[in-house]
Amino acid sequence: MIHDLKDFRATEVVREAFLLTRRNMPQLYGFGLLCFGPGLLLLAYYFWLNIRMAFPAFRSSASEVAAVDGGNFALIFFAVIIFGIGALVYQAALHHWIRERYRNQEEHPLWDYRREIKGMFWRLVGVNLITSFLTNLVDRVLSAFIDNFSTSVPVVPLGLFSIAATFYLSAALMFAVPSVILEFSGPLEAVKRSWNKTRGRRGRIIGALLLAVLLIIGIFLVLYGFGVLLAFLLPVIAGGTGQGVFVRGLIPFGIFAFLAGPILIPLYIIPQVLLFLGAQYAETGPDSTAISARWEEVSSETEPEV
């Protein structure tokens, strides 16, 4: 089955990811809640506090506003840390779960791979920091370039060029995280391997990335539509403040998005893993001796357990 992945087009990759998510929704959702739930709850509480401050009917006093403003930084800091750790555990488990399904035709529960993060936690932290730094750096450079030349060059072509460059870099770095998880590379080595392995495949990767993002955006728009409908049917949500229905719709939308989050995240990660496995098969074939040897080497190293 894995040999088919190397010939998949972008639409087939996203379709396969969608079908895999739909068929395994209960365990993907359950494991996602375990990994992302604590961080999402803190983030949801943070947004709820800020929504309360936005609607006068929900505020109790000026001192409460000051207290919320003072605690926001600490709350968002801990929420991001907890969410980030859960995301790394989820990344590692999902990558191994997909590889076993497609390479070895084994269907173990996703929960069985929860400990795959051991031995690669700091590598994953490193590669995520490096890729985020590079993409943000390119984005800032392009933004500065657009600001400098926007008076002499039309903004639309510059904006399209900026988006294209960002997607191209994202495609070139897309295999960095899978390389750390499935090939046991170091962060810098993973970035280099991703750059080389995506060469000749970046058009397909950009297509799959765009389709996955559009699919997720479409689902969010549907959820927001339900939120607006609910806010229209239940105006009491606004506390009688007279806020517009589209603003009131943000409250139920936040609830829907929170509940849908553990399902939407796999729709973005699974296409990356499928594309990586296809490229890996095209490069090494069915023989995984080199990967097994690298696994034994990494397993013998001592790293902090998480």
Side-chain angles (χ1 to χ4, degrees):
M1 192 173 184
I2 191 174
H3 62 275
D4 295 328
L5 295 177
K6 64 184 177 65
D7 300 318
F8 269 15
R9 297 189 297 271
T11 52
E12 293 174 314
V13 170
V14 176
R15 178 178 179 274
E16 186 75 10
F18 178 78
L19 292 176
L20 187 63
T21 302
R22 190 184 69 179
R23 292 168 186 161
N24 298 275
M25 190 173 293
Q27 66 169 321
L28 283 171
Y29 192 83
F31 190 70
L33 280 181
L34 286 174
C35 292
F36 296 108
L40 284 175
L41 283 174
L42 286 176
L43 288 173
Y45 181 64
Y46 166 79
F47 286 116
W48 167 245
L49 287 178
N50 284 273
I51 287 173
R52 285 188 62 191
M53 297 305 103
F55 291 97
F58 288 154
R59 302 179 199 162
S60 59
S61 64
S63 59
E64 183 184 10
V65 176
V68 169
D69 290 339
N72 271 346
F73 177 77
L75 180 61
I76 199 69
F77 175 79
F78 284 111
V80 169
I81 293 296
I82 294 173
F83 186 88
I85 293 174
L88 295 181
V89 173
Y90 189 85
Q91 274 186 330
L94 190 60
H95 278 66
H96 282 278
W97 180 72
I98 296 170
R99 184 184 66 175
E100 292 304 308
R101 291 179 66 90
Y102 284 88
R103 169 173 286 173
N104 300 326
Q105 302 294 296
E106 296 180 1
E107 298 190 10
H108 298 293
L110 186 56
W111 175 257
D112 291 353
Y113 301 98
R114 67 191 183 281
R115 298 187 184 278
E116 295 294 341
I117 191 68
K118 289 200 302 183
M120 67 177 70
F121 178 82
W122 296 113
R123 288 189 178 95
L124 268 180
V125 172
V127 76
N128 278 286
L129 288 176
I130 291 172
T131 54
S132 297
F133 171 77
L134 291 175
T135 51
N136 286 327
L137 177 64
V138 169
D139 182 63
R140 288 181 178 276
V141 169
L142 290 174
S143 297
F145 176 80
I146 291 174
D147 290 340
N148 289 333
F149 290 92
S150 59
T151 56
S152 56
V153 180
V155 175
V156 173
L158 289 176
L160 292 176
F161 171 76
S162 175
I163 294 172
T166 302
F167 268 100
Y168 182 84
L169 182 61
S170 298
L173 300 177
M174 185 172 284
F175 289 171
V177 169
S179 182
V180 169
I181 297 173
L182 300 178
E183 294 182 329
F184 318 106
S185 306
L188 293 176
E189 179 190 2
V191 171
K192 181 180 178 181
R193 288 180 66 83
S194 178
W195 187 269
N196 294 330
K197 191 170 289 190
T198 55
R199 189 175 291 125
R201 300 183 177 90
R202 289 171 192 164
R204 188 188 309 176
I205 294 172
I206 291 174
L209 180 63
L210 275 172
L211 288 174
V213 170
L214 289 174
L215 177 61
I216 293 171
I217 290 175
I219 294 173
F220 270 119
L221 288 176
V222 171
L223 294 176
Y224 177 61
F226 279 119
V228 171
L229 178 62
L230 185 60
F232 178 78
L233 296 175
L234 301 174
V236 71
I237 291 176
T241 62
Q243 297 285 345
V245 67
F246 293 101
V247 176
R248 299 201 309 266
L250 290 172
I251 299 176
F253 165 69
I255 298 172
F256 294 148
F258 170 79
L259 295 175
I263 286 300
L264 297 179
I265 293 170
L267 291 176
Y268 185 77
I269 296 177
I270 292 175
Q272 301 178 32
V273 185
L274 295 180
L275 288 165
F276 177 82
L277 291 175
Q280 190 180 61
Y281 184 89
E283 182 181 78
T284 64
D287 182 14
S288 58
T289 306
I291 297 175
S292 299
R294 177 66 175 148
W295 167 245
E296 292 175 1
E297 175 188 341
V298 173
S299 297
S300 64
E301 298 176 3
T302 56
E303 289 196 13
E305 292 189 1
V306 178

